[in-house]
Amino acid sequence: ERKYNVPVALNNDANCYALGEKRFGKGKGFHNFVGLTLGTGLGMGVIINNELYSGVMSGAGEIGMLPYKERILEEYVGSFFFTREYGESAKELHEKALQHNKKALQAFDAFGAHLGEAIKIALFMYAPEAVILGGSIAMAYPFFKDSMRQTVSTFAYQKQIEALVITCSTQPNLAILGAAALVMK
């Protein structure tokens, strides 16, 4: 800022993704939502009352670091899960799922159940109107959608999920756009 006399803002990728969705994507229609990034790990950006909530040192929403089963949540809802449990990347298994490969379909079914648990945690924490999925693994949404929704349907507060929207991002580069939007007012 001192050198070039322009505003500078920093934040993490999941927060920038959520802000990008709010400003330029499917988040425009919601006042309160979470954006989950499904990739190497699991990230979450939180929009509350139309504003990004970053917390101290941009640490809010680090859902992937929560203890889950024998590890942490992102070990089950990220690329680690596929390589550890199935010996192949999410991308390789997605390509095989497109060919109706049984192992790949089972992998995404299991992934969807774990993602559903992550979404339930986000519901308990923030009670959002929507959950918007992004990241490279979100491209395989048709293969994990049913098991994810089945798991979410077991959420303790049924009234809360009656109108819940769970959808996938449709625009590329929203994290980059969200990073640019950090300095927009």
Side-chain angles (χ1 to χ4, degrees):
E1 284 182 324
R2 283 189 298 267
K3 184 173 181 173
Y4 294 105
N5 198 30
V6 295
V8 174
L10 299 173
N11 214 309
N12 68 44
D13 60 339
N15 287 346
C16 290
Y17 164 70
L19 185 58
E21 280 292 349
K22 178 63 187 162
R23 295 283 179 95
F24 308 105
K26 289 188 174 184
K28 287 181 187 179
F30 302 104
H31 298 289
N32 303 290
F33 73 89
V34 296
L36 293 178
T37 56
L38 312 174
T40 304
L42 171 66
M44 182 170 72
V46 181
I47 300 293
I48 299 174
N49 293 327
N50 294 315
E51 297 291 329
L52 176 65
Y53 178 70
S54 295
V56 176
M57 296 179 62
S58 302
E62 290 295 332
I63 191 172
M65 299 307 290
L66 292 174
Y68 178 73
K69 296 192 176 276
E70 303 86 37
R71 294 178 168 83
I72 57 175
L73 195 53
E74 78 176 4
E75 292 279 339
Y76 295 88
V77 188
S79 62
F80 305 113
F81 172 72
F82 296 101
T83 55
R84 184 184 71 247
E85 297 295 322
Y86 298 93
E88 297 184 69
S89 71
K91 181 178 180 180
E92 292 167 327
L93 287 165
H94 182 214
E95 290 169 4
K96 289 181 177 183
L98 290 168
Q99 303 300 316
H100 310 289
N101 176 279
K102 186 176 179 179
K103 173 186 165 186
L105 295 172
Q106 289 173 339
F108 282 108
D109 190 60
F111 173 84
H114 295 303
L115 175 58
E117 294 296 338
I119 290 171
K120 288 179 1 182
I121 292 168
L123 293 173
F124 280 120
M125 294 167 63
Y126 297 105
E129 300 166 81
V131 176
I132 305 174
L133 306 174
S136 59
I137 298 174
M139 291 186 290
Y141 183 66
F143 300 110
F144 61 80
K145 176 184 175 182
D146 291 342
S147 61
M148 175 203 67
R149 288 194 179 274
Q150 176 60 40
T151 301
V152 171
S153 75
T154 67
F155 186 63
Y157 305 123
Q158 289 293 299
K159 193 77 173 158
Q160 185 179 329
I161 62 173
E162 284 178 4
L164 177 68
V165 173
I166 301 174
T167 188
C168 282
S169 182
T170 55
Q171 295 193 24
N173 303 317
L174 283 173
I176 294 169
L177 292 171
L182 289 170
V183 296
M184 295 171 55
K185 292 291 177 193

